[in-house]
Amino acid sequence: MGQRQAKLEKTTVHAVAWTIAEGATPQGLENFKKATENLVVAMPGLQRAWVGKLRQPLVVGDITRTHGLVLEFDTVESKEAYSDHPARSPWAAAWSEVRIPRSTNFDVIGD
């Protein structure tokens, strides 16, 4: 009952823990989520995205991270290309409206 075969993914995941800004509005968060959906549609190689609250806050130095963003790319090259892709600008603008600058990031490269 409920058994599945294990399968390890070969994709690249970019994970970000970030802190919501004081004064961020529910509408601002919705705008960021919609911008993230648009980014997935516009960016070649970006397969899926997750945006939400962390199950529990992550303390890094003197900063507490409260939210998470995960982007799944088909290859490392796709992830590297995302930084310069034109679709990233409106997405980054929407994100800057709801977060304090700087975040805690890491990538997982499936092999």
Side-chain angles (χ1 to χ4, degrees):
M1 168 197 309
Q3 289 195 346
R4 301 182 308 180
Q5 280 192 305
K7 177 184 170 224
L8 298 178
E9 297 296 332
K10 304 262 186 223
T11 56
T12 297
V13 174
H14 179 61
V16 182
W18 55 282
T19 304
I20 195 161
E22 271 189 52
T25 65
Q27 185 61 54
L29 283 170
E30 284 306 312
N31 292 346
F32 171 55
K33 289 177 183 178
K34 182 64 178 167
T36 302
E37 290 174 356
N38 293 340
L39 185 69
V40 173
V41 171
M43 182 156 304
L46 179 53
Q47 297 181 341
R48 295 187 287 181
W50 295 259
V51 174
K53 289 183 180 179
L54 298 177
R55 186 175 61 83
Q56 62 186 45
L58 174 66
V59 178
V60 180
D62 61 345
I63 298 174
T64 301
R65 306 292 184 203
T66 56
H67 286 69
L69 165 72
V70 177
L71 303 175
E72 181 182 17
F73 295 89
D74 58 358
T75 64
V76 172
E77 293 78 16
S78 294
K79 191 276 173 186
E80 290 171 352
Y82 126 96
S83 294
D84 296 323
H85 194 280
R88 190 174 184 276
S89 293
W91 171 80
W95 193 19
S96 70
E97 294 292 320
V98 296
R99 74 175 186 127
I100 64 167
R102 298 185 52 215
S103 53
T104 303
N105 309 326
F106 64 91
D107 295 337
V108 178
I109 301 168
D111 59 7

